[in-house]
Amino acid sequence: MRVAFVSLYPDQLRSDGATRRARRVAERLSARGHDVVFCCAQWWDGPLDAFEQNGVEYVAVTESPSARRFASKLPFALRRVDPDVVHAANSPPSQVAAAKTAARVLRVPVVVDWWTARDEDTDRMLRRAAKRANRVLAPSRMVKTEAREYGASADAVTVVPDSIDVDLVREADPDPRADLVYARRLDGHANVESFLLALAELRDRDWRAAVVGDGPGRTAAAETAAELRIDDRVEFLGDLSPREFVPILKGAHVFAQTATVEPFARELLWALACGCVGIVEYQARSSAHELVENCDRGARVTSPQELAAEVVAAAGHEQATFNEAFAGYDHASVMRTYERVYEEARDDYGFF
């Protein structure tokens, strides 16, 4: 199948949850034998109109990231690409309307991957994007509800979570350097302070903790740990690859999820698959609690004090290094869901 991804911002130009998800899916589809073209603003140097990386052909619709110019030129780019299906990010929503214009001529469906709205996106344009999509993909039930609030019909939205390398989880050797782990990009939504405050409640107990991730909030987080007098037991490890990250999770006992905004808690998923007890601080704009519902190695809390209490209670769970309940989040299983949605959308256009 020939799939055209549409995102003004590719991950190489502006990295966030939405762009990282699009890049991972595009590369995994290519690895499964699909012909993948990524229409975006140019992010590579030189005069080339197209650039290939990790099996994905990137096509420069514009030289710079202008949403208006990108939307005006996108229909012509898609006609040249001639895809079987268009996979568009929901933001900026103007690109969805432009993709739909080309798709009508090409008689192909537009599948919109809904992550979240950016500050510059208007409600009017988001409603247009939700209603014009032939299918909508959402990483969680929380995001599905958001897409429906913007006008997507219930039967058009499919929840497709992020995926993990289950084989890596099964095979990695545990690294016992930390008992408790927090992991996420340390930005304005990280709320790592809740994790650190919970640790401070337990300073009279024996534990070691690790914070995985980097970002503009790392320095402030380290300063908070020092102010709480727990910095000698909290190691800030920075960004780690899955091969570095997974052994630490397999050696840990508890993973804390406290971020205030999280369309899909991917690091929590890795931790649960690695056998960690997952403790989620409930946040209105986070879907993390969905992963620990009906999970016997998970708990939900509403404050650092409750988090600390659940850390103590987690001692009642035996140490584990793999949780079979999360094997269904393997890359292959999740990619088959993408393929099924594409095929169903194409069937609606009469392709058999």
Side-chain angles (χ1 to χ4, degrees):
M1 190 181 300
R2 186 167 172 82
V3 184
F5 278 69
V6 170
S7 179
L8 169 63
Y9 295 101
D11 189 42
Q12 297 90 339
L13 193 59
R14 185 165 83 174
S15 186
D16 58 25
T19 60
R20 288 191 292 271
R21 175 173 163 99
R23 180 176 183 173
R24 288 192 294 261
V25 173
E27 291 179 358
R28 287 177 188 136
L29 282 172
S30 175
R32 290 173 66 85
H34 298 283
D35 189 6
V36 181
V37 180
F38 203 116
C39 299
C40 58
Q42 184 171 338
W43 55 268
W44 56 93
D45 295 328
L48 297 175
D49 293 331
F51 186 86
E52 184 171 327
Q53 186 178 78
N54 296 334
V56 176
E57 181 184 2
Y58 290 85
V59 172
V61 178
T62 58
E63 293 183 0
S64 59
S66 163
R68 179 175 296 182
R69 185 166 176 78
F70 185 81
S72 68
K73 298 184 70 173
L74 179 63
F76 303 101
L78 285 174
R79 291 180 193 180
R80 290 191 295 271
V81 171
D82 192 24
D84 297 311
V85 62
V86 176
H87 177 127
N90 72 291
S91 178
S94 56
Q95 68 191 12
V96 177
K100 188 66 177 180
T101 298
R104 287 197 187 98
V105 175
L106 297 169
R107 295 190 67 246
V108 299
V110 175
V111 176
V112 174
D113 200 355
W114 204 282
W115 185 260
T116 190
R118 294 189 174 105
D119 291 341
E120 60 268 27
D121 299 336
T122 66
D123 286 350
R124 181 180 66 86
M125 289 301 296
L126 287 166
R127 284 193 292 270
R128 288 183 67 190
K131 292 176 180 178
R132 291 192 175 193
N134 297 97
R135 291 284 192 282
V136 176
L137 306 171
S140 60
R141 297 197 309 273
M142 181 193 76
V143 177
K144 177 179 180 177
T145 298
E146 178 182 306
R148 290 191 61 193
E149 289 172 347
Y150 279 112
S153 62
D155 57 358
V157 186
T158 302
V159 174
V160 185
D162 280 3
S163 61
I164 57 174
D165 186 343
V166 172
D167 287 341
L168 173 61
V169 175
R170 291 183 190 273
E171 296 166 5
D173 294 324
D175 178 343
R177 74 174 69 186
D179 306 298
L180 307 109
V181 177
Y182 172 101
R184 191 190 182 277
R185 176 166 169 74
L186 302 181
D187 57 20
H189 303 303
N191 191 29
V192 69
E193 293 80 8
S194 279
F195 175 61
L196 298 174
L197 287 169
L199 295 182
E201 294 277 333
L202 303 171
R203 62 165 55 89
D204 60 338
R205 293 176 178 266
D206 184 23
W207 52 261
R208 294 163 301 159
V211 174
V212 178
D214 210 341
R218 179 173 175 175
T219 298
E223 290 173 352
T224 298
E227 291 167 2
L228 294 170
R229 303 192 310 279
I230 56 173
D231 52 314
D232 58 329
R233 290 193 281 171
V234 181
E235 188 176 8
F236 287 82
L237 300 177
D239 287 331
L240 299 178
S241 69
R243 291 196 174 277
E244 298 169 308
F245 180 42
V246 166
I248 294 170
L249 293 175
K250 293 188 71 172
H253 190 58
V254 170
F255 183 93
Q257 173 74 33
T258 60
T260 57
V261 177
E262 203 70 276
F264 186 83
R266 191 163 183 262
E267 292 84 0
L268 173 62
L269 172 60
W270 278 106
L272 292 169
C274 289
C276 288
V277 177
I279 304 176
V280 175
E281 184 177 48
Y282 180 81
Q283 305 287 350
R285 296 178 62 196
S286 170
S287 69
H289 61 278
E290 296 177 19
L291 286 172
V292 297
E293 289 176 0
N294 305 315
C295 175
D296 60 358
R297 295 179 69 84
R300 289 176 287 178
V301 300
T302 59
S303 69
Q305 292 73 25
E306 289 183 8
L307 198 162
E310 287 295 338
V311 168
V312 175
H317 291 277
E318 293 184 0
Q319 188 78 19
T321 58
F322 183 69
N323 191 333
E324 188 68 41
F326 295 91
Y329 289 89
D330 182 57
H331 294 320
S333 298
V334 173
M335 293 313 301
R336 284 194 292 270
T337 304
Y338 278 100
E339 292 167 337
R340 175 177 58 80
V341 172
Y342 295 158
E343 289 164 0
E344 290 174 353
R346 279 169 50 80
D347 286 347
D348 290 345
Y349 267 77
F351 294 98
F352 300 100

